[in-house]
Amino acid sequence: VEKVKIAILGFGNVGTGVWKILKENKKEIMKRSNYEIEVTKILVKHIDKRRDITVSNEILTDNIDDIINDESIKIVVELIGGKDDAKEYMIRAMRAKKHIVTANKLVIANWSKELFKIAEQENVLFYYEASVAGGIPIIREINESLTANRIEQIIGIVNGTTNYILSKMTIDGISFHEALKEAQEKGYAEADPTSDVDGFDAVYKLAIMASLSFGTKVDQACIYREGIRNISNIDIACAKKFGYTIKLLAIAKEENHKLELRVHPTLVPSTHPLANVNDVFNAILIKGNAVGELMLYGKGAGDLPTGSAVVGDIISILRNNVKPSDISDLNDDLDFKEVINSEENQSEFYIRLNINDKAGVLGDIATILGKNDVSIISVTKDVNHQAKAPLAFITHKSSEKNITISLEKIKLLENVNSIESILRIESFD
Ligand code: HSE
Protein backbone atom coordinates (compact mmCIF):
# COMPACT_ATOMS: atom_id res chain seq x y z
CA VAL A 1 0.00 0.00 0.00
CA GLU A 2 1.32 3.39 -1.04
CA LYS A 3 1.61 6.22 1.45
CA VAL A 4 -0.03 9.58 0.86
CA LYS A 5 0.82 12.70 2.79
CA ILE A 6 -1.82 15.17 3.78
CA ALA A 7 -1.96 18.38 5.82
CA ILE A 8 -4.71 19.68 8.07
CA LEU A 9 -5.26 23.40 8.48
CA GLY A 10 -6.74 24.01 11.91
CA PHE A 11 -6.75 21.66 14.88
CA GLY A 12 -9.93 22.67 16.65
CA ASN A 13 -12.98 20.55 17.16
CA VAL A 14 -13.32 19.15 13.62
CA GLY A 15 -9.55 18.92 13.06
CA THR A 16 -9.11 16.70 16.10
CA GLY A 17 -12.14 14.66 15.00
CA VAL A 18 -10.46 14.00 11.66
CA TRP A 19 -7.24 13.04 13.42
CA LYS A 20 -9.10 10.58 15.68
CA ILE A 21 -10.98 8.95 12.78
CA LEU A 22 -7.81 8.55 10.71
CA LYS A 23 -6.23 6.80 13.66
CA GLU A 24 -9.17 4.75 14.89
CA ASN A 25 -10.33 3.54 11.46
CA LYS A 26 -6.88 3.32 9.88
CA LYS A 27 -7.32 -0.24 8.67
CA GLU A 28 -10.70 0.29 7.05
CA ILE A 29 -9.58 3.54 5.48
CA MET A 30 -6.51 1.90 4.06
CA LYS A 31 -8.56 -0.89 2.57
CA ARG A 32 -11.09 1.46 1.04
CA SER A 33 -8.70 4.05 -0.31
CA ASN A 34 -5.78 1.81 -1.12
CA TYR A 35 -3.50 4.30 0.61
CA GLU A 36 -1.96 4.72 4.00
CA ILE A 37 -2.79 8.29 4.98
CA GLU A 38 -0.12 10.16 6.86
CA VAL A 39 -0.84 13.57 8.36
CA THR A 40 2.54 15.22 8.00
CA LYS A 41 1.63 18.78 8.94
CA ILE A 42 -1.07 20.49 10.97
CA LEU A 43 -1.39 24.25 10.85
CA VAL A 44 -2.15 25.74 14.28
CA LYS A 45 -2.09 29.22 15.74
CA HIS A 46 -0.16 28.33 18.87
CA ILE A 47 2.18 25.38 18.75
CA ASP A 48 2.60 25.23 22.52
CA LYS A 49 -1.08 25.29 23.38
CA ARG A 50 -2.16 22.46 25.71
CA ARG A 51 -4.15 19.85 23.80
CA ASP A 52 -6.16 16.78 24.74
CA ILE A 53 -4.46 14.74 22.05
CA THR A 54 -0.73 14.31 21.86
CA VAL A 55 0.74 15.19 18.51
CA SER A 56 4.45 15.34 17.88
CA ASN A 57 5.76 18.88 17.69
CA GLU A 58 7.33 18.14 14.32
CA ILE A 59 3.90 17.86 12.78
CA LEU A 60 2.60 21.14 14.18
CA THR A 61 3.44 24.37 12.39
CA ASP A 62 2.24 27.93 12.59
CA ASN A 63 3.53 28.75 9.13
CA ILE A 64 1.34 27.96 6.11
CA ASP A 65 4.40 28.07 3.83
CA ASP A 66 5.66 24.87 5.44
CA ILE A 67 2.63 23.18 3.92
CA ILE A 68 2.31 25.01 0.59
CA ASN A 69 6.00 24.54 -0.22
CA ASP A 70 6.10 20.89 0.73
CA GLU A 71 5.70 19.05 -2.56
CA SER A 72 5.16 15.74 -0.87
CA ILE A 73 1.79 16.91 0.56
CA LYS A 74 -0.97 15.93 -1.86
CA ILE A 75 -4.15 16.89 -0.03
CA VAL A 76 -4.88 19.94 2.12
CA VAL A 77 -7.81 19.72 4.52
CA GLU A 78 -9.02 23.19 5.40
CA LEU A 79 -10.69 23.35 8.83
CA ILE A 80 -9.73 26.76 10.12
CA GLY A 81 -13.09 28.29 9.19
CA GLY A 82 -13.61 32.01 8.68
CA LYS A 83 -13.09 33.56 5.30
CA ASP A 84 -9.93 35.43 4.31
CA ASP A 85 -7.15 33.13 5.50
CA ALA A 86 -9.10 30.00 4.66
CA LYS A 87 -9.78 31.18 1.12
CA GLU A 88 -6.24 32.37 0.53
CA TYR A 89 -4.70 29.15 1.83
CA MET A 90 -6.98 27.02 -0.33
CA ILE A 91 -6.08 29.02 -3.42
CA ARG A 92 -2.37 28.81 -2.68
CA ALA A 93 -2.63 25.08 -2.03
CA MET A 94 -4.42 24.50 -5.35
CA ARG A 95 -1.83 26.59 -7.19
CA ALA A 96 0.71 24.24 -5.62
CA LYS A 97 -1.27 21.32 -7.15
CA LYS A 98 -2.79 20.04 -3.95
CA HIS A 99 -6.33 18.67 -3.74
CA ILE A 100 -8.69 20.33 -1.27
CA VAL A 101 -11.18 19.10 1.29
CA THR A 102 -13.01 21.76 3.26
CA ALA A 103 -15.85 22.14 5.74
CA ASN A 104 -16.07 25.86 5.10
CA LYS A 105 -19.63 26.82 4.15
CA LEU A 106 -18.94 30.54 4.35
CA VAL A 107 -16.25 30.34 1.69
CA ILE A 108 -18.15 27.90 -0.53
CA ALA A 109 -21.38 29.88 -0.36
CA ASN A 110 -19.57 33.07 -1.38
CA TRP A 111 -16.60 32.14 -3.56
CA SER A 112 -17.33 28.74 -5.08
CA LYS A 113 -17.05 30.17 -8.56
CA GLU A 114 -13.56 31.52 -8.09
CA LEU A 115 -12.32 28.47 -6.19
CA PHE A 116 -13.73 25.86 -8.55
CA LYS A 117 -12.31 27.69 -11.53
CA ILE A 118 -8.86 27.45 -10.00
CA ALA A 119 -9.44 23.77 -9.22
CA GLU A 120 -10.27 23.21 -12.88
CA GLN A 121 -7.25 25.18 -14.10
CA GLU A 122 -4.90 23.33 -11.78
CA ASN A 123 -6.58 19.99 -12.38
CA VAL A 124 -7.09 19.31 -8.70
CA LEU A 125 -10.16 18.02 -6.89
CA PHE A 126 -12.22 20.10 -4.49
CA TYR A 127 -14.59 18.47 -1.99
CA TYR A 128 -16.86 20.10 0.57
CA GLU A 129 -19.30 17.50 1.91
CA ALA A 130 -18.76 18.64 5.51
CA SER A 131 -19.81 22.20 4.70
CA VAL A 132 -23.51 21.34 4.93
CA ALA A 133 -25.16 19.53 7.84
CA GLY A 134 -22.04 17.98 9.39
CA GLY A 135 -22.18 14.21 9.13
CA ILE A 136 -25.17 14.02 6.76
CA PRO A 137 -24.00 13.16 3.23
CA ILE A 138 -26.29 15.70 1.59
CA ILE A 139 -23.95 16.99 -1.12
CA ARG A 140 -23.37 13.48 -2.51
CA GLU A 141 -27.09 12.81 -2.24
CA ILE A 142 -28.01 15.81 -4.38
CA ASN A 143 -25.12 15.43 -6.81
CA GLU A 144 -25.30 11.72 -7.35
CA SER A 145 -28.24 9.80 -5.97
CA LEU A 146 -30.94 12.29 -6.89
CA THR A 147 -29.74 13.45 -10.30
CA ALA A 148 -32.74 11.79 -11.99
CA ASN A 149 -35.08 14.26 -10.30
CA ARG A 150 -36.23 17.79 -10.67
CA ILE A 151 -35.95 18.92 -7.08
CA GLU A 152 -38.98 20.91 -5.99
CA GLN A 153 -38.30 21.56 -2.33
CA ILE A 154 -35.63 21.33 0.30
CA ILE A 155 -36.69 21.99 3.86
CA GLY A 156 -34.12 21.40 6.53
CA ILE A 157 -32.87 21.86 10.02
CA VAL A 158 -29.25 22.53 9.12
CA ASN A 159 -27.81 24.25 12.16
CA GLY A 160 -26.98 22.05 15.12
CA THR A 161 -26.42 24.86 17.60
CA THR A 162 -29.82 26.51 17.14
CA ASN A 163 -31.56 23.16 17.06
CA TYR A 164 -29.83 22.26 20.31
CA ILE A 165 -30.94 25.57 21.85
CA LEU A 166 -34.56 25.32 20.68
CA SER A 167 -34.85 21.66 21.75
CA LYS A 168 -33.48 22.40 25.20
CA MET A 169 -35.81 25.40 25.57
CA THR A 170 -38.76 23.23 24.43
CA ILE A 171 -38.05 19.99 26.25
CA ASP A 172 -36.19 21.10 29.37
CA GLY A 173 -37.63 24.59 29.61
CA ILE A 174 -34.18 26.18 30.07
CA SER A 175 -33.37 29.69 28.87
CA PHE A 176 -31.86 30.65 25.55
CA HIS A 177 -28.56 31.72 27.15
CA GLU A 178 -28.12 28.56 29.20
CA ALA A 179 -28.77 26.41 26.16
CA LEU A 180 -26.34 28.43 24.02
CA LYS A 181 -23.64 27.99 26.64
CA GLU A 182 -24.15 24.23 26.61
CA ALA A 183 -23.97 24.10 22.81
CA GLN A 184 -20.71 26.04 22.91
CA GLU A 185 -19.25 23.72 25.53
CA LYS A 186 -20.12 20.73 23.39
CA GLY A 187 -18.23 22.23 20.46
CA TYR A 188 -21.23 22.68 18.16
CA ALA A 189 -21.23 26.46 17.87
CA GLU A 190 -19.15 28.52 15.47
CA ALA A 191 -16.33 30.56 17.00
CA ASP A 192 -18.69 33.51 16.77
CA PRO A 193 -22.09 32.08 17.73
CA THR A 194 -23.83 35.00 16.02
CA SER A 195 -23.40 33.03 12.84
CA ASP A 196 -25.50 30.22 14.29
CA VAL A 197 -27.99 32.18 16.35
CA ASP A 198 -28.82 34.79 13.73
CA GLY A 199 -29.20 32.26 10.95
CA PHE A 200 -26.15 33.11 8.79
CA ASP A 201 -24.71 29.60 9.03
CA ALA A 202 -28.02 28.13 7.83
CA VAL A 203 -28.15 30.70 5.00
CA TYR A 204 -24.74 29.60 3.69
CA LYS A 205 -25.77 25.97 3.83
CA LEU A 206 -29.07 26.70 2.08
CA ALA A 207 -27.26 28.66 -0.64
CA ILE A 208 -25.05 25.64 -1.34
CA MET A 209 -27.90 23.12 -1.33
CA ALA A 210 -30.19 25.30 -3.44
CA SER A 211 -27.46 26.02 -6.00
CA LEU A 212 -26.81 22.32 -6.45
CA SER A 213 -30.48 21.34 -6.47
CA PHE A 214 -31.86 24.00 -8.77
CA GLY A 215 -28.91 24.21 -11.15
CA THR A 216 -28.50 27.94 -10.69
CA LYS A 217 -26.06 29.88 -8.58
CA VAL A 218 -28.00 31.08 -5.56
CA ASP A 219 -26.54 34.21 -4.08
CA GLN A 220 -26.74 33.96 -0.31
CA ALA A 221 -27.61 37.65 -0.17
CA CYS A 222 -30.98 36.79 -1.79
CA ILE A 223 -31.99 34.51 1.06
CA TYR A 224 -34.40 35.96 3.58
CA ARG A 225 -32.90 35.51 7.06
CA GLU A 226 -34.19 35.68 10.58
CA GLY A 227 -32.50 34.09 13.63
CA ILE A 228 -33.80 32.65 16.90
CA ARG A 229 -32.65 35.36 19.29
CA ASN A 230 -36.18 36.61 19.93
CA ILE A 231 -37.83 33.26 20.47
CA SER A 232 -39.07 33.12 24.01
CA ASN A 233 -40.29 30.29 26.20
CA ILE A 234 -43.76 31.91 25.96
CA ASP A 235 -43.78 31.50 22.16
CA ILE A 236 -42.72 27.89 22.52
CA ALA A 237 -45.58 27.29 24.98
CA CYS A 238 -48.17 29.10 22.83
CA ALA A 239 -47.04 27.24 19.70
CA LYS A 240 -47.44 23.99 21.61
CA LYS A 241 -51.03 24.88 22.49
CA PHE A 242 -51.74 25.24 18.77
CA GLY A 243 -50.04 21.89 18.07
CA TYR A 244 -46.72 23.23 16.77
CA THR A 245 -43.02 23.06 17.64
CA ILE A 246 -40.66 25.93 16.82
CA LYS A 247 -37.65 25.05 14.64
CA LEU A 248 -35.16 27.09 12.66
CA LEU A 249 -35.89 25.95 9.11
CA ALA A 250 -33.97 26.55 5.93
CA ILE A 251 -36.49 26.48 3.09
CA ALA A 252 -35.93 26.41 -0.66
CA LYS A 253 -38.77 25.83 -3.09
CA GLU A 254 -39.00 26.09 -6.84
CA GLU A 255 -42.25 26.71 -8.62
CA ASN A 256 -42.60 27.84 -12.22
CA HIS A 257 -38.94 28.72 -12.44
CA LYS A 258 -39.19 31.01 -9.42
CA LEU A 259 -37.36 30.38 -6.17
CA GLU A 260 -38.50 30.88 -2.63
CA LEU A 261 -35.51 30.99 -0.28
CA ARG A 262 -35.69 31.65 3.42
CA VAL A 263 -34.23 30.84 6.81
CA HIS A 264 -36.35 31.64 9.85
CA PRO A 265 -37.81 30.21 13.03
CA THR A 266 -40.91 28.35 11.97
CA LEU A 267 -43.89 26.65 13.56
CA VAL A 268 -43.78 23.02 12.45
CA PRO A 269 -46.77 20.73 13.14
CA SER A 270 -45.67 18.74 16.20
CA THR A 271 -46.58 15.49 14.46
CA HIS A 272 -44.23 16.19 11.52
CA PRO A 273 -40.90 14.29 11.56
CA LEU A 274 -38.95 17.59 11.45
CA ALA A 275 -40.59 18.68 14.71
CA ASN A 276 -39.05 15.66 16.37
CA VAL A 277 -35.49 16.31 15.29
CA ASN A 278 -33.82 17.35 18.53
CA ASP A 279 -30.49 18.34 20.06
CA VAL A 280 -27.60 18.62 17.64
CA PHE A 281 -29.37 16.51 15.03
CA ASN A 282 -30.06 17.95 11.61
CA ALA A 283 -32.57 16.70 9.08
CA ILE A 284 -33.22 17.58 5.49
CA LEU A 285 -36.44 16.86 3.69
CA ILE A 286 -36.11 16.81 -0.07
CA LYS A 287 -38.99 16.59 -2.50
CA GLY A 288 -38.05 15.35 -5.94
CA ASN A 289 -40.54 14.91 -8.78
CA ALA A 290 -39.61 11.24 -9.17
CA VAL A 291 -38.51 10.10 -5.73
CA GLY A 292 -41.19 12.00 -3.83
CA GLU A 293 -40.31 12.96 -0.28
CA LEU A 294 -37.03 11.84 1.20
CA MET A 295 -35.56 12.72 4.57
CA LEU A 296 -31.98 12.52 5.80
CA TYR A 297 -31.32 12.62 9.52
CA GLY A 298 -28.06 12.75 11.42
CA LYS A 299 -25.68 14.78 13.52
CA GLY A 300 -25.14 18.22 12.03
CA ALA A 301 -22.12 19.26 14.07
CA GLY A 302 -19.46 17.90 16.37
CA ASP A 303 -15.97 16.50 15.94
CA LEU A 304 -16.61 12.94 14.80
CA PRO A 305 -19.79 13.45 12.70
CA THR A 306 -18.22 16.34 10.78
CA GLY A 307 -14.92 14.47 10.69
CA SER A 308 -16.76 11.55 9.10
CA ALA A 309 -17.74 13.74 6.13
CA VAL A 310 -14.23 15.19 5.86
CA VAL A 311 -12.47 11.82 5.89
CA GLY A 312 -15.03 10.48 3.39
CA ASP A 313 -13.98 13.28 1.03
CA ILE A 314 -10.29 12.45 1.51
CA ILE A 315 -11.02 8.85 0.59
CA SER A 316 -13.03 9.95 -2.48
CA ILE A 317 -10.04 11.95 -3.67
CA LEU A 318 -7.74 8.99 -3.16
CA ARG A 319 -10.08 6.71 -5.04
CA ASN A 320 -10.56 9.47 -7.58
CA ASN A 321 -13.72 7.69 -8.53
CA VAL A 322 -16.08 10.63 -8.34
CA LYS A 323 -15.78 13.40 -10.83
CA PRO A 324 -16.36 16.72 -9.14
CA SER A 325 -19.36 17.20 -11.40
CA ASP A 326 -20.86 19.47 -8.79
CA ILE A 327 -18.43 22.14 -9.83
CA SER A 328 -20.36 23.12 -12.93
CA ASP A 329 -23.68 23.01 -11.12
CA LEU A 330 -22.56 25.35 -8.40
CA ASN A 331 -21.33 27.81 -10.95
CA ASP A 332 -24.04 27.68 -13.56
CA ASP A 333 -25.58 31.05 -14.12
CA LEU A 334 -27.08 29.96 -17.42
CA ASP A 335 -30.34 28.86 -15.95
CA PHE A 336 -31.33 32.09 -14.26
CA LYS A 337 -34.17 31.82 -11.78
CA GLU A 338 -35.92 34.70 -10.14
CA VAL A 339 -35.99 34.77 -6.34
CA ILE A 340 -39.39 35.79 -4.97
CA ASN A 341 -39.33 38.71 -2.56
CA SER A 342 -40.16 37.41 0.91
CA GLU A 343 -43.04 39.90 1.20
CA GLU A 344 -44.86 38.02 -1.56
CA ASN A 345 -44.48 34.61 0.08
CA GLN A 346 -47.73 33.10 1.28
CA SER A 347 -47.65 31.48 4.71
CA GLU A 348 -49.82 30.82 7.65
CA PHE A 349 -48.65 33.06 10.48
CA TYR A 350 -48.41 32.87 14.24
CA ILE A 351 -48.76 36.24 15.96
CA ARG A 352 -48.47 37.09 19.63
CA LEU A 353 -49.62 40.41 21.05
CA ASN A 354 -49.68 41.93 24.45
CA ILE A 355 -53.14 43.36 25.07
CA ASN A 356 -55.22 44.88 27.82
CA ASP A 357 -57.86 42.29 28.41
CA LYS A 358 -60.84 44.58 27.72
CA ALA A 359 -64.09 43.71 25.99
CA GLY A 360 -64.04 44.29 22.26
CA VAL A 361 -60.30 44.21 21.67
CA LEU A 362 -60.36 40.83 20.03
CA GLY A 363 -63.18 41.96 17.75
CA ASP A 364 -61.25 45.06 16.70
CA ILE A 365 -58.19 42.97 15.88
CA ALA A 366 -60.22 40.48 13.85
CA THR A 367 -61.90 43.30 11.92
CA ILE A 368 -58.60 44.83 10.88
CA LEU A 369 -57.23 41.47 9.81
CA GLY A 370 -60.42 40.67 7.89
CA LYS A 371 -60.24 43.95 5.97
CA ASN A 372 -56.75 42.94 4.83
CA ASP A 373 -57.72 39.45 3.74
CA VAL A 374 -56.21 37.77 6.77
CA SER A 375 -58.42 35.28 8.54
CA ILE A 376 -57.81 33.73 11.93
CA ILE A 377 -57.78 29.97 12.45
CA SER A 378 -57.35 29.81 16.19
CA VAL A 379 -56.72 32.01 19.22
CA THR A 380 -55.22 31.38 22.63
CA LYS A 381 -55.33 33.78 25.52
CA ASP A 382 -53.52 33.40 28.78
CA VAL A 383 -56.23 34.30 31.28
CA ASN A 384 -53.92 33.99 34.26
CA HIS A 385 -52.43 37.38 33.55
CA GLN A 386 -54.96 39.92 34.62
CA ALA A 387 -54.45 43.37 33.25
CA LYS A 388 -51.98 42.66 30.47
CA ALA A 389 -52.59 39.42 28.66
CA PRO A 390 -50.65 37.67 25.94
CA LEU A 391 -52.88 36.93 23.00
CA ALA A 392 -51.63 34.54 20.37
CA PHE A 393 -53.38 33.55 17.19
CA ILE A 394 -52.67 31.75 13.96
CA THR A 395 -53.90 32.78 10.54
CA HIS A 396 -54.82 31.13 7.29
CA LYS A 397 -52.39 31.56 4.40
CA SER A 398 -51.67 35.22 3.82
CA SER A 399 -48.94 37.25 2.24
CA GLU A 400 -46.40 38.78 4.58
CA LYS A 401 -47.36 42.14 3.10
CA ASN A 402 -50.99 41.85 4.28
CA ILE A 403 -49.84 40.76 7.72
CA THR A 404 -47.52 43.76 7.99
CA ILE A 405 -50.22 46.21 6.90
CA SER A 406 -52.70 44.72 9.40
CA LEU A 407 -50.24 44.82 12.28
CA GLU A 408 -49.37 48.44 11.59
CA LYS A 409 -53.03 49.25 12.25
CA ILE A 410 -53.47 46.81 15.14
CA LYS A 411 -50.52 48.41 16.89
CA LEU A 412 -52.48 51.67 17.05
CA LEU A 413 -55.47 50.15 18.87
CA GLU A 414 -55.93 51.54 22.35
CA ASN A 415 -55.85 48.18 24.10
CA VAL A 416 -52.93 46.69 22.21
CA ASN A 417 -49.70 47.28 24.12
CA SER A 418 -47.23 45.62 21.80
CA ILE A 419 -46.65 43.11 19.07
CA GLU A 420 -44.41 40.52 20.64
CA SER A 421 -43.77 38.09 17.83
CA ILE A 422 -44.61 37.22 14.26
CA LEU A 423 -43.56 33.78 13.05
CA ARG A 424 -44.29 31.76 9.95
CA ILE A 425 -45.93 28.36 9.95
CA GLU A 426 -44.84 25.65 7.48
CA SER A 427 -47.68 23.46 6.40
CA PHE A 428 -45.65 21.12 4.14
CA ASP A 429 -48.10 21.15 1.24
N1 HSE B 1 -22.06 25.69 14.02
C1 HSE B 1 -22.52 24.72 13.08
C2 HSE B 1 -23.80 24.14 13.60
C3 HSE B 1 -21.49 23.68 12.90
O1 HSE B 1 -24.12 24.36 14.77
O2 HSE B 1 -24.51 23.50 12.86
C4 HSE B 1 -21.74 22.79 11.74
O3 HSE B 1 -21.74 23.49 10.53
mmCIF file of all heavy atoms in Angstrom, residues 105 158-161 188-190 196 201 205 300-301, ligand 1:
data_model
loop_
_atom_site.group_PDB
_atom_site.id
_atom_site.type_symbol
_atom_site.label_atom_id
_atom_site.label_comp_id
_atom_site.label_asym_id
_atom_site.label_seq_id
_atom_site.Cartn_x
_atom_site.Cartn_y
_atom_site.Cartn_z
ATOM 1 N N LYS A 105 -18.432 26.406 4.903
ATOM 2 C CA LYS A 105 -19.632 26.821 4.152
ATOM 3 C C LYS A 105 -19.600 28.289 3.775
ATOM 4 O O LYS A 105 -20.114 28.683 2.731
ATOM 5 C CB LYS A 105 -20.897 26.521 4.941
ATOM 6 C CG LYS A 105 -20.932 27.123 6.323
ATOM 7 C CD LYS A 105 -21.026 26.077 7.363
ATOM 8 C CE LYS A 105 -20.316 26.562 8.603
ATOM 9 N NZ LYS A 105 -20.303 25.573 9.655
ATOM 10 N N VAL A 158 -30.645 22.707 9.535
ATOM 11 C CA VAL A 158 -29.250 22.527 9.123
ATOM 12 C C VAL A 158 -28.259 23.212 10.058
ATOM 13 O O VAL A 158 -27.087 23.305 9.739
ATOM 14 C CB VAL A 158 -29.019 23.011 7.665
ATOM 15 C CG1 VAL A 158 -29.712 22.075 6.690
ATOM 16 C CG2 VAL A 158 -29.476 24.445 7.462
ATOM 17 N N ASN A 159 -28.740 23.682 11.192
ATOM 18 C CA ASN A 159 -27.807 24.249 12.157
ATOM 19 C C ASN A 159 -27.973 23.535 13.494
ATOM 20 O O ASN A 159 -29.038 23.612 14.127
ATOM 21 C CB ASN A 159 -28.031 25.761 12.304
ATOM 22 C CG ASN A 159 -27.046 26.361 13.285
ATOM 23 O OD1 ASN A 159 -27.317 26.490 14.477
ATOM 24 N ND2 ASN A 159 -25.851 26.690 12.812
ATOM 25 N N GLY A 160 -26.925 22.852 13.900
ATOM 26 C CA GLY A 160 -26.983 22.049 15.116
ATOM 27 C C GLY A 160 -27.128 22.889 16.374
ATOM 28 O O GLY A 160 -27.871 22.534 17.288
ATOM 29 N N THR A 161 -26.414 24.007 16.402
ATOM 30 C CA THR A 161 -26.425 24.856 17.598
ATOM 31 C C THR A 161 -27.829 25.382 17.904
ATOM 32 O O THR A 161 -28.323 25.261 19.025
ATOM 33 C CB THR A 161 -25.451 26.033 17.399
ATOM 34 O OG1 THR A 161 -24.170 25.484 17.136
ATOM 35 C CG2 THR A 161 -25.394 26.938 18.605
ATOM 36 N N TYR A 188 -20.370 22.618 19.337
ATOM 37 C CA TYR A 188 -21.234 22.681 18.158
ATOM 38 C C TYR A 188 -21.198 24.056 17.504
ATOM 39 O O TYR A 188 -21.316 24.187 16.289
ATOM 40 C CB TYR A 188 -22.696 22.401 18.532
ATOM 41 C CG TYR A 188 -22.933 21.070 19.213
ATOM 42 C CD1 TYR A 188 -23.980 20.907 20.119
ATOM 43 C CD2 TYR A 188 -22.117 19.968 18.934
ATOM 44 C CE1 TYR A 188 -24.203 19.688 20.741
ATOM 45 C CE2 TYR A 188 -22.338 18.749 19.555
ATOM 46 C CZ TYR A 188 -23.383 18.623 20.459
ATOM 47 O OH TYR A 188 -23.612 17.430 21.074
ATOM 48 N N ALA A 189 -21.071 25.090 18.363
ATOM 49 C CA ALA A 189 -21.232 26.461 17.867
ATOM 50 C C ALA A 189 -20.016 26.926 17.070
ATOM 51 O O ALA A 189 -18.906 26.423 17.260
ATOM 52 C CB ALA A 189 -21.464 27.391 19.048
ATOM 53 N N GLU A 190 -20.248 27.873 16.180
ATOM 54 C CA GLU A 190 -19.145 28.516 15.467
ATOM 55 C C GLU A 190 -18.364 29.362 16.478
ATOM 56 O O GLU A 190 -18.878 29.693 17.545
ATOM 57 C CB GLU A 190 -19.709 29.453 14.389
ATOM 58 C CG GLU A 190 -20.487 28.753 13.293
ATOM 59 C CD GLU A 190 -19.655 27.759 12.528
ATOM 60 O OE1 GLU A 190 -18.628 28.147 11.955
ATOM 61 O OE2 GLU A 190 -20.016 26.573 12.512
ATOM 62 N N ASP A 196 -24.478 31.242 14.070
ATOM 63 C CA ASP A 196 -25.497 30.220 14.293
ATOM 64 C C ASP A 196 -26.831 30.861 14.665
ATOM 65 O O ASP A 196 -27.844 30.656 14.011
ATOM 66 C CB ASP A 196 -25.076 29.296 15.456
ATOM 67 C CG ASP A 196 -23.796 28.534 15.166
ATOM 68 O OD1 ASP A 196 -23.758 27.820 14.160
ATOM 69 O OD2 ASP A 196 -22.836 28.666 15.953
ATOM 70 N N ASP A 201 -25.244 30.931 9.338
ATOM 71 C CA ASP A 201 -24.714 29.599 9.035
ATOM 72 C C ASP A 201 -25.718 28.800 8.193
ATOM 73 O O ASP A 201 -25.347 28.173 7.205
ATOM 74 C CB ASP A 201 -24.421 28.894 10.379
ATOM 75 C CG ASP A 201 -23.900 27.493 10.211
ATOM 76 O OD1 ASP A 201 -22.681 27.343 10.014
ATOM 77 O OD2 ASP A 201 -24.696 26.534 10.282
ATOM 78 N N LYS A 205 -25.504 27.371 4.170
ATOM 79 C CA LYS A 205 -25.771 25.968 3.831
ATOM 80 C C LYS A 205 -26.924 25.873 2.830
ATOM 81 O O LYS A 205 -26.882 25.072 1.897
ATOM 82 C CB LYS A 205 -26.088 25.185 5.100
ATOM 83 C CG LYS A 205 -24.858 25.028 6.011
ATOM 84 C CD LYS A 205 -25.239 24.527 7.391
ATOM 85 C CE LYS A 205 -24.021 24.293 8.278
ATOM 86 N NZ LYS A 205 -24.373 24.079 9.680
ATOM 87 N N GLY A 300 -25.505 17.106 12.897
ATOM 88 C CA GLY A 300 -25.135 18.216 12.028
ATOM 89 C C GLY A 300 -23.904 18.977 12.472
ATOM 90 O O GLY A 300 -23.486 19.922 11.829
ATOM 91 N N ALA A 301 -23.321 18.594 13.592
ATOM 92 C CA ALA A 301 -22.117 19.263 14.069
ATOM 93 C C ALA A 301 -21.416 18.321 15.029
ATOM 94 O O ALA A 301 -21.940 17.258 15.363
ATOM 95 C CB ALA A 301 -22.481 20.578 14.771
HETATM 96 N N1 HSE B 1 -22.059 25.694 14.018
HETATM 97 C C1 HSE B 1 -22.523 24.718 13.085
HETATM 98 C C2 HSE B 1 -23.799 24.141 13.601
HETATM 99 C C3 HSE B 1 -21.494 23.676 12.896
HETATM 100 O O1 HSE B 1 -24.117 24.359 14.771
HETATM 101 O O2 HSE B 1 -24.515 23.496 12.863
HETATM 102 C C4 HSE B 1 -21.735 22.787 11.740
HETATM 103 O O3 HSE B 1 -21.744 23.491 10.534
#
